[in-house]
Amino acid sequence: QVQLVESGGGLVQPGGSLRLSCAASRKNFISYVMTWYRQAPGKQRELVATITGGGNINYADSVKGRFTISRDNAKRTVYLEMNSLKPEDTAVYYCNLKTASNDYWGQGTQVTVSS
């Protein structure tokens, strides 16, 4: 079983920044692709950013240039640095670890961008 624990969400004004963290209990963490998703009220869950163990990265077009995903394999942790936040970034953010046979999800952390 894998546990993913997110932290770092909160309320921030437009233009502000937040840093999300996701700590994983899985051994061989470097072997797995880690992804941040988000889900806004009334909308489907969408991919935000993904990073492989080797550091290959992809972003959703909506966050390119504003968000940065990174990972510390020794700490089994993935991060999402979010800058220039917009009200439309408001959502519950989830981290995901995908194995060959399962998807594991964290409990989610709320990010609210509002003045």
Side-chain angles (χ1 to χ4, degrees), residues 24-53:
S25 63
R26 183 81 176 194
K27 294 181 180 179
N28 300 318
F29 177 75
I30 194 172
S31 302
Y32 303 107
V33 176
M34 297 298 298
T35 304
W36 285 98
Y37 289 82
R38 66 186 180 187
Q39 187 166 19
K43 294 188 177 182
Q44 290 187 332
R45 192 171 295 188
E46 63 173 355
L47 186 149
V48 176
T50 189
I51 184 168
T52 68

PDB file of all heavy atoms in Angstrom, residues 24-53:
ATOM      1  N   ALA A  24       5.576  10.610  -0.196  1.00  0.00           N
ATOM      2  CA  ALA A  24       5.146   9.256  -0.543  1.00  0.00           C
ATOM      3  C   ALA A  24       5.812   8.222   0.353  1.00  0.00           C
ATOM      4  O   ALA A  24       6.978   8.381   0.735  1.00  0.00           O
ATOM      5  CB  ALA A  24       5.486   8.967  -2.002  1.00  0.00           C
ATOM      6  N   SER A  25       5.063   7.157   0.644  1.00  0.00           N
ATOM      7  CA  SER A  25       5.612   6.095   1.484  1.00  0.00           C
ATOM      8  C   SER A  25       6.245   4.991   0.647  1.00  0.00           C
ATOM      9  O   SER A  25       6.833   4.069   1.191  1.00  0.00           O
ATOM     10  CB  SER A  25       4.517   5.502   2.363  1.00  0.00           C
ATOM     11  OG  SER A  25       3.515   4.905   1.560  1.00  0.00           O
ATOM     12  N   ARG A  26       6.111   5.102  -0.658  1.00  0.00           N
ATOM     13  CA  ARG A  26       6.533   4.016  -1.549  1.00  0.00           C
ATOM     14  C   ARG A  26       8.052   3.910  -1.635  1.00  0.00           C
ATOM     15  O   ARG A  26       8.738   4.905  -1.870  1.00  0.00           O
ATOM     16  CB  ARG A  26       5.968   4.258  -2.948  1.00  0.00           C
ATOM     17  CG  ARG A  26       6.264   3.173  -3.957  1.00  0.00           C
ATOM     18  CD  ARG A  26       5.304   2.016  -3.814  1.00  0.00           C
ATOM     19  NE  ARG A  26       5.498   0.987  -4.819  1.00  0.00           N
ATOM     20  CZ  ARG A  26       4.632   0.023  -5.070  1.00  0.00           C
ATOM     21  NH1 ARG A  26       3.490  -0.049  -4.393  1.00  0.00           N
ATOM     22  NH2 ARG A  26       4.886  -0.881  -5.986  1.00  0.00           N
ATOM     23  N   LYS A  27       8.578   2.681  -1.509  1.00  0.00           N
ATOM     24  CA  LYS A  27       9.997   2.448  -1.736  1.00  0.00           C
ATOM     25  C   LYS A  27      10.264   2.557  -3.235  1.00  0.00           C
ATOM     26  O   LYS A  27       9.356   2.477  -4.054  1.00  0.00           O
ATOM     27  CB  LYS A  27      10.401   1.067  -1.219  1.00  0.00           C
ATOM     28  CG  LYS A  27      10.304   0.925   0.286  1.00  0.00           C
ATOM     29  CD  LYS A  27      10.740  -0.460   0.725  1.00  0.00           C
ATOM     30  CE  LYS A  27      10.646  -0.604   2.237  1.00  0.00           C
ATOM     31  NZ  LYS A  27      11.046  -1.949   2.702  1.00  0.00           N
ATOM     32  N   ASN A  28      11.515   2.716  -3.575  1.00  0.00           N
ATOM     33  CA  ASN A  28      11.909   2.867  -4.979  1.00  0.00           C
ATOM     34  C   ASN A  28      11.164   4.034  -5.637  1.00  0.00           C
ATOM     35  O   ASN A  28      10.765   3.956  -6.801  1.00  0.00           O
ATOM     36  CB  ASN A  28      11.638   1.583  -5.770  1.00  0.00           C
ATOM     37  CG  ASN A  28      12.411   0.406  -5.215  1.00  0.00           C
ATOM     38  OD1 ASN A  28      13.581   0.524  -4.853  1.00  0.00           O
ATOM     39  ND2 ASN A  28      11.761  -0.733  -5.121  1.00  0.00           N
ATOM     40  N   PHE A  29      10.992   5.087  -4.885  1.00  0.00           N
ATOM     41  CA  PHE A  29      10.226   6.266  -5.324  1.00  0.00           C
ATOM     42  C   PHE A  29      10.710   6.771  -6.673  1.00  0.00           C
ATOM     43  O   PHE A  29       9.911   7.207  -7.506  1.00  0.00           O
ATOM     44  CB  PHE A  29      10.350   7.355  -4.260  1.00  0.00           C
ATOM     45  CG  PHE A  29       9.680   8.656  -4.601  1.00  0.00           C
ATOM     46  CD1 PHE A  29       8.298   8.777  -4.535  1.00  0.00           C
ATOM     47  CD2 PHE A  29      10.422   9.773  -4.971  1.00  0.00           C
ATOM     48  CE1 PHE A  29       7.673   9.983  -4.827  1.00  0.00           C
ATOM     49  CE2 PHE A  29       9.809  10.981  -5.261  1.00  0.00           C
ATOM     50  CZ  PHE A  29       8.431  11.082  -5.197  1.00  0.00           C
ATOM     51  N   ILE A  30      12.016   6.686  -6.904  1.00  0.00           N
ATOM     52  CA  ILE A  30      12.591   7.215  -8.139  1.00  0.00           C
ATOM     53  C   ILE A  30      12.049   6.487  -9.372  1.00  0.00           C
ATOM     54  O   ILE A  30      12.105   7.005 -10.480  1.00  0.00           O
ATOM     55  CB  ILE A  30      14.137   7.153  -8.091  1.00  0.00           C
ATOM     56  CG1 ILE A  30      14.759   8.004  -9.201  1.00  0.00           C
ATOM     57  CG2 ILE A  30      14.611   5.701  -8.169  1.00  0.00           C
ATOM     58  CD1 ILE A  30      16.259   8.142  -9.093  1.00  0.00           C
ATOM     59  N   SER A  31      11.500   5.312  -9.182  1.00  0.00           N
ATOM     60  CA  SER A  31      11.025   4.519 -10.309  1.00  0.00           C
ATOM     61  C   SER A  31       9.694   4.999 -10.861  1.00  0.00           C
ATOM     62  O   SER A  31       9.280   4.559 -11.937  1.00  0.00           O
ATOM     63  CB  SER A  31      10.882   3.049  -9.889  1.00  0.00           C
ATOM     64  OG  SER A  31      12.111   2.532  -9.424  1.00  0.00           O
ATOM     65  N   TYR A  32       9.028   5.872 -10.152  1.00  0.00           N
ATOM     66  CA  TYR A  32       7.642   6.179 -10.486  1.00  0.00           C
ATOM     67  C   TYR A  32       7.448   7.600 -10.977  1.00  0.00           C
ATOM     68  O   TYR A  32       8.057   8.549 -10.491  1.00  0.00           O
ATOM     69  CB  TYR A  32       6.749   5.927  -9.267  1.00  0.00           C
ATOM     70  CG  TYR A  32       6.864   4.512  -8.780  1.00  0.00           C
ATOM     71  CD1 TYR A  32       7.550   4.218  -7.599  1.00  0.00           C
ATOM     72  CD2 TYR A  32       6.327   3.463  -9.521  1.00  0.00           C
ATOM     73  CE1 TYR A  32       7.685   2.916  -7.172  1.00  0.00           C
ATOM     74  CE2 TYR A  32       6.459   2.155  -9.086  1.00  0.00           C
ATOM     75  CZ  TYR A  32       7.146   1.887  -7.915  1.00  0.00           C
ATOM     76  OH  TYR A  32       7.283   0.600  -7.493  1.00  0.00           O
ATOM     77  N   VAL A  33       6.535   7.701 -11.930  1.00  0.00           N
ATOM     78  CA  VAL A  33       6.095   8.997 -12.413  1.00  0.00           C
ATOM     79  C   VAL A  33       5.161   9.605 -11.375  1.00  0.00           C
ATOM     80  O   VAL A  33       4.239   8.942 -10.889  1.00  0.00           O
ATOM     81  CB  VAL A  33       5.366   8.868 -13.766  1.00  0.00           C
ATOM     82  CG1 VAL A  33       4.816  10.227 -14.205  1.00  0.00           C
ATOM     83  CG2 VAL A  33       6.304   8.289 -14.820  1.00  0.00           C
ATOM     84  N   MET A  34       5.408  10.854 -11.057  1.00  0.00           N
ATOM     85  CA  MET A  34       4.561  11.578 -10.110  1.00  0.00           C
ATOM     86  C   MET A  34       3.848  12.700 -10.850  1.00  0.00           C
ATOM     87  O   MET A  34       4.438  13.391 -11.677  1.00  0.00           O
ATOM     88  CB  MET A  34       5.391  12.174  -8.975  1.00  0.00           C
ATOM     89  CG  MET A  34       6.097  11.142  -8.115  1.00  0.00           C
ATOM     90  SD  MET A  34       4.952  10.032  -7.262  1.00  0.00           S
ATOM     91  CE  MET A  34       4.046  11.179  -6.240  1.00  0.00           C
ATOM     92  N   THR A  35       2.579  12.857 -10.542  1.00  0.00           N
ATOM     93  CA  THR A  35       1.757  13.824 -11.247  1.00  0.00           C
ATOM     94  C   THR A  35       0.918  14.617 -10.259  1.00  0.00           C
ATOM     95  O   THR A  35       0.406  14.063  -9.281  1.00  0.00           O
ATOM     96  CB  THR A  35       0.821  13.108 -12.237  1.00  0.00           C
ATOM     97  OG1 THR A  35       1.606  12.306 -13.132  1.00  0.00           O
ATOM     98  CG2 THR A  35       0.012  14.099 -13.054  1.00  0.00           C
ATOM     99  N   TRP A  36       0.774  15.898 -10.519  1.00  0.00           N
ATOM    100  CA  TRP A  36      -0.182  16.741  -9.809  1.00  0.00           C
ATOM    101  C   TRP A  36      -1.409  16.917 -10.693  1.00  0.00           C
ATOM    102  O   TRP A  36      -1.293  17.225 -11.881  1.00  0.00           O
ATOM    103  CB  TRP A  36       0.407  18.106  -9.489  1.00  0.00           C
ATOM    104  CG  TRP A  36       1.385  18.117  -8.365  1.00  0.00           C
ATOM    105  CD1 TRP A  36       2.741  18.097  -8.450  1.00  0.00           C
ATOM    106  CD2 TRP A  36       1.071  18.138  -6.967  1.00  0.00           C
ATOM    107  NE1 TRP A  36       3.302  18.103  -7.195  1.00  0.00           N
ATOM    108  CE2 TRP A  36       2.289  18.135  -6.259  1.00  0.00           C
ATOM    109  CE3 TRP A  36      -0.113  18.166  -6.237  1.00  0.00           C
ATOM    110  CZ2 TRP A  36       2.356  18.157  -4.865  1.00  0.00           C
ATOM    111  CZ3 TRP A  36      -0.050  18.188  -4.856  1.00  0.00           C
ATOM    112  CH2 TRP A  36       1.182  18.186  -4.186  1.00  0.00           C
ATOM    113  N   TYR A  37      -2.574  16.710 -10.096  1.00  0.00           N
ATOM    114  CA  TYR A  37      -3.857  16.966 -10.728  1.00  0.00           C
ATOM    115  C   TYR A  37      -4.588  18.016  -9.896  1.00  0.00           C
ATOM    116  O   TYR A  37      -4.255  18.265  -8.751  1.00  0.00           O
ATOM    117  CB  TYR A  37      -4.721  15.706 -10.767  1.00  0.00           C
ATOM    118  CG  TYR A  37      -4.262  14.636 -11.731  1.00  0.00           C
ATOM    119  CD1 TYR A  37      -3.252  13.746 -11.378  1.00  0.00           C
ATOM    120  CD2 TYR A  37      -4.859  14.501 -12.978  1.00  0.00           C
ATOM    121  CE1 TYR A  37      -2.837  12.752 -12.250  1.00  0.00           C
ATOM    122  CE2 TYR A  37      -4.456  13.502 -13.862  1.00  0.00           C
ATOM    123  CZ  TYR A  37      -3.451  12.633 -13.483  1.00  0.00           C
ATOM    124  OH  TYR A  37      -3.048  11.650 -14.362  1.00  0.00           O
ATOM    125  N   ARG A  38      -5.635  18.570 -10.486  1.00  0.00           N
ATOM    126  CA  ARG A  38      -6.502  19.454  -9.719  1.00  0.00           C
ATOM    127  C   ARG A  38      -7.950  19.278 -10.178  1.00  0.00           C
ATOM    128  O   ARG A  38      -8.216  18.871 -11.313  1.00  0.00           O
ATOM    129  CB  ARG A  38      -6.083  20.918  -9.857  1.00  0.00           C
ATOM    130  CG  ARG A  38      -6.250  21.512 -11.244  1.00  0.00           C
ATOM    131  CD  ARG A  38      -5.671  22.921 -11.276  1.00  0.00           C
ATOM    132  NE  ARG A  38      -5.819  23.540 -12.588  1.00  0.00           N
ATOM    133  CZ  ARG A  38      -5.284  24.707 -12.937  1.00  0.00           C
ATOM    134  NH1 ARG A  38      -4.561  25.395 -12.056  1.00  0.00           N
ATOM    135  NH2 ARG A  38      -5.469  25.203 -14.144  1.00  0.00           N
ATOM    136  N   GLN A  39      -8.850  19.592  -9.272  1.00  0.00           N
ATOM    137  CA  GLN A  39     -10.270  19.493  -9.584  1.00  0.00           C
ATOM    138  C   GLN A  39     -10.985  20.682  -8.980  1.00  0.00           C
ATOM    139  O   GLN A  39     -11.002  20.856  -7.753  1.00  0.00           O
ATOM    140  CB  GLN A  39     -10.869  18.188  -9.064  1.00  0.00           C
ATOM    141  CG  GLN A  39     -12.300  17.968  -9.518  1.00  0.00           C
ATOM    142  CD  GLN A  39     -12.774  16.548  -9.307  1.00  0.00           C
ATOM    143  OE1 GLN A  39     -12.197  15.790  -8.523  1.00  0.00           O
ATOM    144  NE2 GLN A  39     -13.817  16.155 -10.023  1.00  0.00           N
ATOM    145  N   ALA A  40     -11.549  21.495  -9.866  1.00  0.00           N
ATOM    146  CA  ALA A  40     -12.332  22.648  -9.433  1.00  0.00           C
ATOM    147  C   ALA A  40     -13.792  22.225  -9.274  1.00  0.00           C
ATOM    148  O   ALA A  40     -14.225  21.239  -9.878  1.00  0.00           O
ATOM    149  CB  ALA A  40     -12.203  23.768 -10.461  1.00  0.00           C
ATOM    150  N   PRO A  41     -14.561  22.951  -8.481  1.00  0.00           N
ATOM    151  CA  PRO A  41     -15.972  22.599  -8.276  1.00  0.00           C
ATOM    152  C   PRO A  41     -16.721  22.511  -9.594  1.00  0.00           C
ATOM    153  O   PRO A  41     -16.634  23.414 -10.430  1.00  0.00           O
ATOM    154  CB  PRO A  41     -16.489  23.758  -7.415  1.00  0.00           C
ATOM    155  CG  PRO A  41     -15.299  24.272  -6.707  1.00  0.00           C
ATOM    156  CD  PRO A  41     -14.158  24.118  -7.669  1.00  0.00           C
ATOM    157  N   GLY A  42     -17.424  21.411  -9.786  1.00  0.00           N
ATOM    158  CA  GLY A  42     -18.223  21.228 -10.980  1.00  0.00           C
ATOM    159  C   GLY A  42     -17.452  20.877 -12.228  1.00  0.00           C
ATOM    160  O   GLY A  42     -18.029  20.810 -13.319  1.00  0.00           O
ATOM    161  N   LYS A  43     -16.156  20.649 -12.084  1.00  0.00           N
ATOM    162  CA  LYS A  43     -15.324  20.333 -13.250  1.00  0.00           C
ATOM    163  C   LYS A  43     -14.643  18.987 -13.068  1.00  0.00           C
ATOM    164  O   LYS A  43     -14.526  18.476 -11.952  1.00  0.00           O
ATOM    165  CB  LYS A  43     -14.280  21.424 -13.474  1.00  0.00           C
ATOM    166  CG  LYS A  43     -14.866  22.771 -13.853  1.00  0.00           C
ATOM    167  CD  LYS A  43     -13.772  23.747 -14.238  1.00  0.00           C
ATOM    168  CE  LYS A  43     -14.354  25.071 -14.699  1.00  0.00           C
ATOM    169  NZ  LYS A  43     -13.292  26.031 -15.116  1.00  0.00           N
ATOM    170  N   GLN A  44     -14.165  18.431 -14.191  1.00  0.00           N
ATOM    171  CA  GLN A  44     -13.436  17.174 -14.125  1.00  0.00           C
ATOM    172  C   GLN A  44     -12.021  17.411 -13.605  1.00  0.00           C
ATOM    173  O   GLN A  44     -11.461  18.507 -13.737  1.00  0.00           O
ATOM    174  CB  GLN A  44     -13.376  16.538 -15.520  1.00  0.00           C
ATOM    175  CG  GLN A  44     -14.714  16.009 -16.007  1.00  0.00           C
ATOM    176  CD  GLN A  44     -14.588  15.242 -17.317  1.00  0.00           C
ATOM    177  OE1 GLN A  44     -13.706  15.492 -18.118  1.00  0.00           O
ATOM    178  NE2 GLN A  44     -15.481  14.277 -17.520  1.00  0.00           N
ATOM    179  N   ARG A  45     -11.472  16.350 -13.033  1.00  0.00           N
ATOM    180  CA  ARG A  45     -10.083  16.419 -12.598  1.00  0.00           C
ATOM    181  C   ARG A  45      -9.181  16.573 -13.822  1.00  0.00           C
ATOM    182  O   ARG A  45      -9.379  15.897 -14.833  1.00  0.00           O
ATOM    183  CB  ARG A  45      -9.721  15.155 -11.813  1.00  0.00           C
ATOM    184  CG  ARG A  45      -8.418  15.224 -11.074  1.00  0.00           C
ATOM    185  CD  ARG A  45      -8.241  14.031 -10.150  1.00  0.00           C
ATOM    186  NE  ARG A  45      -9.232  14.026  -9.080  1.00  0.00           N
ATOM    187  CZ  ARG A  45      -9.211  13.187  -8.049  1.00  0.00           C
ATOM    188  NH1 ARG A  45      -8.230  12.287  -7.957  1.00  0.00           N
ATOM    189  NH2 ARG A  45     -10.149  13.228  -7.130  1.00  0.00           N
ATOM    190  N   GLU A  46      -8.193  17.462 -13.725  1.00  0.00           N
ATOM    191  CA  GLU A  46      -7.306  17.706 -14.851  1.00  0.00           C
ATOM    192  C   GLU A  46      -5.845  17.597 -14.423  1.00  0.00           C
ATOM    193  O   GLU A  46      -5.484  17.914 -13.284  1.00  0.00           O
ATOM    194  CB  GLU A  46      -7.560  19.086 -15.463  1.00  0.00           C
ATOM    195  CG  GLU A  46      -7.287  20.262 -14.549  1.00  0.00           C
ATOM    196  CD  GLU A  46      -7.404  21.604 -15.256  1.00  0.00           C
ATOM    197  OE1 GLU A  46      -7.603  21.634 -16.483  1.00  0.00           O
ATOM    198  OE2 GLU A  46      -7.286  22.628 -14.562  1.00  0.00           O
ATOM    199  N   LEU A  47      -5.013  17.166 -15.361  1.00  0.00           N
ATOM    200  CA  LEU A  47      -3.588  17.053 -15.117  1.00  0.00           C
ATOM    201  C   LEU A  47      -2.974  18.446 -15.089  1.00  0.00           C
ATOM    202  O   LEU A  47      -3.268  19.286 -15.946  1.00  0.00           O
ATOM    203  CB  LEU A  47      -2.934  16.202 -16.199  1.00  0.00           C
ATOM    204  CG  LEU A  47      -1.464  15.850 -16.045  1.00  0.00           C
ATOM    205  CD1 LEU A  47      -1.194  14.479 -16.676  1.00  0.00           C
ATOM    206  CD2 LEU A  47      -0.563  16.892 -16.641  1.00  0.00           C
ATOM    207  N   VAL A  48      -2.115  18.668 -14.109  1.00  0.00           N
ATOM    208  CA  VAL A  48      -1.428  19.950 -13.987  1.00  0.00           C
ATOM    209  C   VAL A  48       0.023  19.830 -14.439  1.00  0.00           C
ATOM    210  O   VAL A  48       0.498  20.601 -15.272  1.00  0.00           O
ATOM    211  CB  VAL A  48      -1.477  20.458 -12.537  1.00  0.00           C
ATOM    212  CG1 VAL A  48      -0.671  21.753 -12.392  1.00  0.00           C
ATOM    213  CG2 VAL A  48      -2.919  20.675 -12.090  1.00  0.00           C
ATOM    214  N   ALA A  49       0.737  18.847 -13.875  1.00  0.00           N
ATOM    215  CA  ALA A  49       2.149  18.675 -14.204  1.00  0.00           C
ATOM    216  C   ALA A  49       2.577  17.269 -13.831  1.00  0.00           C
ATOM    217  O   ALA A  49       2.055  16.687 -12.879  1.00  0.00           O
ATOM    218  CB  ALA A  49       3.015  19.704 -13.470  1.00  0.00           C
ATOM    219  N   THR A  50       3.564  16.763 -14.571  1.00  0.00           N
ATOM    220  CA  THR A  50       4.051  15.422 -14.310  1.00  0.00           C
ATOM    221  C   THR A  50       5.571  15.410 -14.402  1.00  0.00           C
ATOM    222  O   THR A  50       6.161  16.185 -15.165  1.00  0.00           O
ATOM    223  CB  THR A  50       3.409  14.420 -15.283  1.00  0.00           C
ATOM    224  OG1 THR A  50       3.714  13.105 -14.896  1.00  0.00           O
ATOM    225  CG2 THR A  50       3.852  14.656 -16.700  1.00  0.00           C
ATOM    226  N   ILE A  51       6.196  14.545 -13.605  1.00  0.00           N
ATOM    227  CA  ILE A  51       7.657  14.451 -13.598  1.00  0.00           C
ATOM    228  C   ILE A  51       8.061  12.993 -13.440  1.00  0.00           C
ATOM    229  O   ILE A  51       7.531  12.272 -12.580  1.00  0.00           O
ATOM    230  CB  ILE A  51       8.262  15.332 -12.474  1.00  0.00           C
ATOM    231  CG1 ILE A  51       9.796  15.304 -12.527  1.00  0.00           C
ATOM    232  CG2 ILE A  51       7.738  14.937 -11.096  1.00  0.00           C
ATOM    233  CD1 ILE A  51      10.453  16.361 -11.636  1.00  0.00           C
ATOM    234  N   THR A  52       8.992  12.558 -14.278  1.00  0.00           N
ATOM    235  CA  THR A  52       9.495  11.199 -14.171  1.00  0.00           C
ATOM    236  C   THR A  52      10.622  11.138 -13.140  1.00  0.00           C
ATOM    237  O   THR A  52      11.110  12.163 -12.670  1.00  0.00           O
ATOM    238  CB  THR A  52      10.028  10.704 -15.522  1.00  0.00           C
ATOM    239  OG1 THR A  52      11.219  11.446 -15.842  1.00  0.00           O
ATOM    240  CG2 THR A  52       8.992  10.880 -16.624  1.00  0.00           C
ATOM    241  N   GLY A  53      11.045   9.914 -12.820  1.00  0.00           N
ATOM    242  CA  GLY A  53      12.145   9.766 -11.886  1.00  0.00           C
ATOM    243  C   GLY A  53      13.433  10.396 -12.388  1.00  0.00           C
ATOM    244  O   GLY A  53      14.244  10.876 -11.592  1.00  0.00           O
TER     245      GLY A  53
END
